[in-house]
Amino acid sequence: MAATTIARSAATHLSLPFPSKLSPSDHSPAATLKFSPKRRRSAAVVLASLQPDGNGRSHQYVGGALELEDSPFDDASKDLHTLPRPLSSTFVSNPVSEGPRLRVAYQGVHGAYSESAAQKAYPNCEAVPCEQFDTAFEAVERWLVDRAVLPIENSLGGSIHRNYDLLLRHRLHIVGEVKLAVRHCLLANPGLEIQDLKRVLSHPQALAQCEHTLTRFGLVREAVDDTAGAAKHVSFHKLKDAGAVASSAAADIYGLKILAEDIQDDSDNVTRFLILAREPIIPGTDRPFKTSIVFSLEEGPGVLFKALAVFALRQINLTKIESRPLRKQPLRASDDNNGGCPKPKYFDYLFYVDFETSMADHNAQNALRHLREFATFLRVLGSYPMDASMP
């Protein structure tokens, strides 16, 4: 997001009143917060649309079909070349025709945990692998796929910061979430045992989540892009001294032997994924909803406290807050008069917040109106049903 997009408008209030009482908007009869569907680069406050995007695009796919190798894996031959090829940045310029099933993008290769999350969210979908997170975002934007299911946080490893940054860079909407229990296995080629291995390959977070177990096995850890990719590499190269930390599904797909199951150090290992789409869903009040926003504030004592108080005053429960440095203008000089001393520099931050209220609720609408009074930038990323199922 360019710096001009989030620049403070001249009309923005300079005062930062402590929100000790409800905003006047809380008392307005039948108040309805309206969201603009168009992107306004000069706006001080940008809100994501809760209506169709208004870009004039039809709801049909355009052009011909994207050629993907989506042949089923042959259990007899275990031919890795028959697996679906991940989408790369070179594919995103090719359109895709509408098919009978929902096409859902995920990052990684066949057998990744993200693929399992996509199938949990949409059991009958066609899961489309993508090489990078960026590629999955672009695939949705360019109508190659209908949805993207991407990880945003893990109960052990924390937030996936790259996807927070991409949420701001792209104009997709969060339309749902899905939680997946992660159960790691130690995999190797058939005929090998744990004592035959010297090293193990996997994603850095997976290796960190199994640190104590892998140390007990005496294995050297080597980081690669993803868990299923590690399994594919071990199988394709028929490695005799290396194993992989991946899912049991990856073992089946790549013909590997499971040497040990549930090797994560903590059994409560859950990853939360976001479901992204081109169009938002219309929020309701018939079931529990969650809303995700991002905003920035002026520097000053207690400013963040004042921002969060607009939710507390309305009994709105916050489930997550994440701060990320503001790109392109990370540092800002203080406006304080220090008697001729050099002005200190502060980091500018964006704050990502999740709260347990639908945007169809007037309380949430009024809270955001109140926040707009002193936020320098505000955008609603999505209002969507909560995943209340067991991971």
Side-chain angles (χ1 to χ4, degrees):
M1 182 66 67
T4 54
T5 306
I6 55 177
R8 190 184 186 93
S9 168
T12 306
H13 297 295
L14 296 178
S15 61
L16 291 170
F18 173 69
S20 57
K21 59 183 179 179
L22 297 179
S23 172
S25 61
D26 289 272
H27 305 291
S28 301
T32 302
L33 184 61
K34 296 181 179 179
F35 294 89
S36 170
K38 297 182 179 179
R39 187 173 184 177
R40 301 178 182 177
R41 292 185 177 274
S42 59
V45 178
V46 182
L47 297 181
S49 169
L50 287 181
Q51 300 295 333
D53 63 7
N55 290 331
R57 294 179 295 186
S58 69
H59 291 269
Q60 298 178 348
Y61 292 109
V62 294
L66 179 68
E67 295 296 328
L68 284 178
E69 295 179 17
D70 53 3
S71 306
F73 188 78
D74 186 348
D75 288 333
S77 64
K78 300 297 182 184
D79 183 1
L80 299 179
H81 297 290
T82 64
L83 293 174
R85 290 178 57 192
L87 282 176
S88 66
S89 57
T90 60
F91 280 107
V92 295
S93 60
N94 299 326
V96 63
S97 62
E98 187 171 9
R101 293 190 298 166
L102 201 69
R103 292 170 60 83
V104 181
Y106 67 93
Q107 187 276 328
V109 300
H110 193 31
Y113 289 108
S114 293
E115 182 183 27
S116 299
Q119 292 168 340
K120 181 180 179 182
Y122 300 101
N124 298 319
C125 74
E126 178 185 352
V128 180
C130 297
E131 287 185 344
Q132 304 294 334
F133 292 131
D134 313 56
T135 313
F137 274 85
E138 292 177 17
V140 179
E141 287 180 328
R142 302 192 184 190
W143 295 73
L144 297 173
V145 297
D146 305 290
R147 301 283 189 274
V149 174
L150 299 172
I152 196 66
E153 62 178 329
N154 176 266
S155 58
L156 302 182
S159 299
I160 289 72
H161 295 137
R162 177 62 178 162
N163 284 337
Y164 273 107
D165 296 338
L166 290 172
L167 281 172
L168 190 64
R169 180 181 303 176
H170 295 268
R171 298 296 298 182
L172 299 182
H173 304 269
I174 305 174
V175 297
E177 65 175 2
V178 59
K179 297 175 183 176
L180 183 74
V182 177
R183 301 180 62 185
H184 293 306
C185 300
L186 178 61
L187 314 179
N189 280 297
L192 297 179
E193 300 297 337
I194 294 178
Q195 55 268 26
D196 299 321
L197 305 181
K198 296 181 180 178
R199 55 198 179 101
V200 61
L201 287 63
S202 195
H203 187 274
Q205 280 206 359
L207 295 174
Q209 292 163 11
C210 306
E211 180 179 4
H212 297 309
T213 304
L214 297 178
T215 299
R216 189 173 75 250
F217 290 157
L219 299 176
V220 176
R221 297 178 283 276
E222 296 182 11
V224 295
D225 287 341
D226 60 87
T227 56
K232 181 178 179 179
H233 180 82
V234 168
S235 177
F236 184 80
H237 295 281
K238 303 187 185 304
L239 300 181
K240 300 299 183 183
D241 67 336
V245 173
S247 65
S248 58
D252 294 335
I253 292 167
Y254 300 109
L256 297 176
K257 177 183 177 181
I258 299 178
L259 301 181
E261 294 184 280
D262 292 329
I263 63 172
Q264 61 273 6
D265 297 331
D266 192 325
S267 59
D268 295 326
N269 187 9
V270 178
T271 298
R272 174 175 168 247
F273 294 79
L274 297 180
I275 305 172
L276 305 176
R278 289 178 294 275
E279 305 289 348
I281 61 172
I282 304 301
T285 56
D286 57 328
R287 51 181 165 166
F289 265 68
K290 182 181 291 185
T291 300
S292 298
I293 64 172
V294 56
F295 61 89
S296 61
L297 302 166
E298 285 285 5
E299 178 63 37
V303 178
L304 179 58
F305 171 73
K306 297 170 188 176
L308 300 182
V310 307
F311 301 101
L313 286 170
R314 296 167 178 86
Q315 302 298 309
I316 296 176
N317 183 42
L318 304 185
T319 60
K320 183 175 177 64
I321 179 169
E322 180 80 23
S323 63
R324 295 291 295 151
L326 184 59
R327 297 290 181 91
K328 298 187 178 180
Q329 54 177 54
L331 291 174
R332 172 178 45 174
S334 169
D335 294 330
D336 298 336
N337 186 357
N338 291 328
C341 298
K343 293 182 178 180
K345 289 184 178 291
Y346 297 96
F347 279 101
D348 264 337
Y349 285 97
L350 290 165
F351 297 97
Y352 293 81
V353 168
D354 294 343
F355 57 87
E356 291 181 336
T357 306
S358 168
M359 281 308 301
D361 190 306
H362 292 310
N363 253 354
Q365 297 173 13
N366 291 331
L368 293 196
R369 281 200 187 93
H370 201 171
L371 181 59
R372 288 181 62 182
E373 294 176 8
F374 46 88
T376 58
F377 166 77
L378 172 62
R379 177 177 159 195
V380 176
L381 299 171
S383 190
Y384 47 93
M386 294 173 55
D387 181 9
S389 65
M390 295 296 292

